[in-house]
């Protein structure tokens, strides 16, 4: 039987860094609200509000907070891996991967399989070619890119943590330098395909900042503190790159743009992540005082237990709100018009309520399992292979969407074409491989 949020909050050890939990919930919540706001649905399809009103792209400098989530992931992964390494006598890589991925893969695969069934039903009924239905089937899987990247971060944690323990800030600087070199090769020399390397270098550099936080290297107080320096350097760097370089203003992808800061990531996005990390670290102490209050901490604990489920299903809720609006015969106002803006609070409230219903239905798949530090040691190579299959499948599905399940529609992942059925098979097969990486031998605990 699961524990209630109140019981979990009351049992929180004094040593727990509560601010990290708040950042995890707040970053996902910000992304959800940003997606609800940016969706510009009309009878012609689904567009992007930021493309219709380009000055609003400046809002992405506050709403694009995925770097904060990856930063928090680095912190949590460092603590988790070190805990396993201290307690176990023998290899722990497979156990680490299973423990970190369990709460991520189960709700994700349930989401994918449910939506695959819906997409098949829609297309078999001949309804997959409509402008709105087709756009919805493409849109609903797009946020999965974040989960694919996160899987890579988990897989690379042990070797990058070793580099961090030896070189500290030097490891972060090396990743940042590699990201800068990739952009030079891409924009100045026109080297083909090199830009895809920054899916690794940019996001792993942000992840590396989480390692630094885990060691207390981002927490020195004072006006010239490292968070302040990091925030200032990142913000100035991002402003200079956007103002004088080939980088767009938006920190999220825009339809039809030749260069995106997101896909693949650029040095400008890394600078954006640096300033966000510095900024949230500057707020650490007042936020920690707030979280010492029982009511505030209970709210964070409750939200943290369902945050991934809410993230996975929030676009489904938004699309359902628009579907109901159309089903009732209510006209959709022209996006960005006065009538459209007037409906925004109502649509967002309805989407939030429906997300709550979906969370209630699917939250059990996010519940933590019984895996722990004493779980089976298992095969590290098999777990790594399974994780690789998962991340490629989930990334591929975020690009293909579910609109072409029956006609062989494909998208290019790095340099290879991939269809949605193949991507789904890779994700499911990889997850099974991770689960079956356990061996009969168990990690022997010291002490």
């Amino acid at each position: 039987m699961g524990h209630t949020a109140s019981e979990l909050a009351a049992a929180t050890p004094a040593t727990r860094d509560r601010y990290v939990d708040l950042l995890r919930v707040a970053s996902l919540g910000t992304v959800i609200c940003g997606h609800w706001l940016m969706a510009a649905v009309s009878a012609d399809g689904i567009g992007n509000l930021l493309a219709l009103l380009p000055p609003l792209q400046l809002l992405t400098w506050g709403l694009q907070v995925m770097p904060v989530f990856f930063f928090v992931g680095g912190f949590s992964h460092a603590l988790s891996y070190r805990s396993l390494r201290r307690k176990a006598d023998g290899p722990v890589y497979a156990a680490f991967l299973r423990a970190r991925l369990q709460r991520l893969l189960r709700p994700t695969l349930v989401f994918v399989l449910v939506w695959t069934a819906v997409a098949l039903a829609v297309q078999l009924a001949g309804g997959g070619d409509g402008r709105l239905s087709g756009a919805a089937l493409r849109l609903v899987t797009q946020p999965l890119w974040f989960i694919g990247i996160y899987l890579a971060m988990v897989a690379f944690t042990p070797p990058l943590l070793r580099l961090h323990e030896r070189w500290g800030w030097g490891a972060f600087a090396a990743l940042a330098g590699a990201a800068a070199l990739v952009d030079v090769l891409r924009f100045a020399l026109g080297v083909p395909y090199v830009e895809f390397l920054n899916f690794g270098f940019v996001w792993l550099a942000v992840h590396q900042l989480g390692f630094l936080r885990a060691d207390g290297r981002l927490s020195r107080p004072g006006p010239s503190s490292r968070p302040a320096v990091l925030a200032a350097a990142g913000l100035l760097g991002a402003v200079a790159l956007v103002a004088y370089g080939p980088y767009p203003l938006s920190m999220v992808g825009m339809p039809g743009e030749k260069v995106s800061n997101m896909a693949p990531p650029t040095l400008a996005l890394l600078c954006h992540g640096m300033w966000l990390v510095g900024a949230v670290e500057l707020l650490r102490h007042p936020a920690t005082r707030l979280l010492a209050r029982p009511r505030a901490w209970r709210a964070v604990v409750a939200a943290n237990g369902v945050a991934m489920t809410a993230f996975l299903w929030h676009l489904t809720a938004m699309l359902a709100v628009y579907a109901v609006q159309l089903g009732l015969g209510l006209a959709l106002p022209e996006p960005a018009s006065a009538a459209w803006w007037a409906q925004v609070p109502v649509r967002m409230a309805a989407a939030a309520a429906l997300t709550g219903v979906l969370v209630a239905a699917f939250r059990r798949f996010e519940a933590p399992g019984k895996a722990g530090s004493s779980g089976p040691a298992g095969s590290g190579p098999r777990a790594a292979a399974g994780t690789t299959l998962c991340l490629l499948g989930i990334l591929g599905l975020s690009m293909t969407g579910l609109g072409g399940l029956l006609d062989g529609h494909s998208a290019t992942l790095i340099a290879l074409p991939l269809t949605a059925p193949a991507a789904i098979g890779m994700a499911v097969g990889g997850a099974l491989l991770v689960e079956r990486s356990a061996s009969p031998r168990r990690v022997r605990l010291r002490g």
Side-chain angles (χ1 to χ4, degrees):
M1 177 182 290
H3 296 287
T4 66
S6 296
E7 291 170 338
L8 291 173
T12 302
T15 56
R16 186 174 183 88
D17 192 330
R18 301 183 178 196
Y19 187 44
V20 166
D21 295 282
L22 174 63
L23 290 179
R24 182 183 295 111
V25 169
S27 57
L28 288 180
T30 301
V31 171
I32 288 172
C33 291
H35 285 169
W36 286 341
L37 179 62
M38 288 190 298
V41 179
S42 68
D44 295 328
I46 303 175
N48 192 313
L49 178 66
L50 301 181
L52 298 174
L53 297 174
L56 291 183
Q57 293 177 17
L58 187 59
L59 294 177
T60 63
W61 290 50
L63 294 177
Q64 170 51 290
V65 293
M66 274 305 180
V68 175
F69 189 90
F70 292 144
F71 162 67
V72 168
F75 174 86
S76 300
H77 298 158
L79 295 187
S80 176
Y81 186 76
R82 285 171 170 171
S83 176
L84 275 173
R85 196 170 57 185
R86 284 195 306 269
K87 296 177 181 178
D89 184 11
V92 298
Y93 185 58
F96 169 74
L97 286 181
R98 288 195 307 277
R100 299 306 297 177
L101 298 186
Q102 186 180 51
R103 289 186 65 184
L104 186 65
L105 287 181
R106 285 191 306 175
T108 299
L109 292 179
V110 168
F111 168 83
V112 167
L113 294 175
V114 169
W115 258 106
T116 298
V118 171
L120 280 173
V122 169
Q123 291 167 64
L124 287 171
D129 297 328
R131 287 184 177 180
L132 286 176
S133 60
L137 292 177
R138 290 192 303 271
L139 175 69
V140 75
T141 63
Q142 284 183 5
L144 295 180
W145 71 266
F146 135 76
I147 293 175
I149 298 297
Y150 197 79
L151 289 172
M153 292 180 175
V154 175
F156 280 108
T157 288
L160 288 179
L161 187 58
R162 285 193 292 271
L163 288 178
H164 160 76
E165 290 167 348
R166 181 170 182 179
W167 300 107
W169 279 96
F172 166 77
L175 288 167
L181 177 60
V182 165
D183 275 12
V184 170
L185 295 174
R186 174 187 182 183
F187 294 117
L189 301 178
V191 178
Y193 300 117
V194 70
E195 63 268 25
F196 291 104
L197 292 173
N198 268 350
F199 276 113
F201 292 140
V202 168
W203 290 124
L204 289 174
V206 175
H207 190 249
Q208 206 79 6
L209 290 173
F211 295 168
L212 291 162
R213 189 188 193 279
D215 286 351
R217 300 191 190 189
L218 285 178
S219 58
R220 293 183 181 178
S224 60
S225 65
R226 287 179 178 173
V229 171
L230 187 67
L235 185 57
L236 289 174
V239 169
L241 289 170
V242 169
Y244 302 108
Y247 305 95
L249 174 64
S250 175
M251 291 298 164
V252 300
M254 290 288 103
E257 63 184 356
K258 293 182 179 179
V259 176
S260 167
N261 282 320
M262 274 291 297
T266 63
L267 182 61
L269 185 66
L270 175 55
C271 290
H272 171 71
M274 289 166 58
W275 99 257
L276 280 180
V277 168
V280 298
E281 279 298 289
L282 290 173
L283 298 174
R284 177 180 179 180
H285 294 296
T288 300
R289 289 194 294 270
L290 173 65
L291 293 173
R293 300 176 183 177
R295 183 176 299 179
W297 178 235
R298 280 197 302 271
V300 170
V301 170
N304 198 46
V306 298
M308 186 54 60
T309 303
F311 174 80
L312 287 166
W313 292 97
H314 76 281
L315 285 183
T316 303
M318 182 202 73
L319 293 170
V321 168
Y322 279 107
V324 169
Q325 190 172 354
L326 288 171
L328 294 176
L330 302 176
L332 292 176
E334 187 66 22
S337 65
W340 186 90
W341 282 109
Q343 288 185 5
V344 165
V346 178
R347 282 197 304 270
M348 292 186 70
L354 188 51
T355 299
V357 173
L358 291 168
V359 164
F362 293 103
R363 63 179 298 174
R364 65 183 180 276
F365 298 106
E366 191 178 349
K370 297 180 180 180
S373 60
S374 60
S379 167
R382 186 182 299 175
T387 303
T388 302
L389 273 178
C390 272
L391 73 90
L392 291 175
I394 290 172
L395 281 177
L397 191 58
S398 74
M399 300 173 68
T400 64
L402 293 168
L405 287 174
L406 301 178
D407 58 14
H409 168 74
S410 66
T412 301
L413 177 63
I414 305 178
L416 301 174
L418 187 67
T419 64
I424 294 168
M426 291 168 68
V428 173
L432 291 175
L433 201 57
V434 171
E435 285 297 320
R436 294 181 179 181
S437 65
S439 67
R441 182 174 64 88
R442 304 183 70 82
V443 175
R444 186 176 61 185
L445 299 182
R446 300 190 184 102

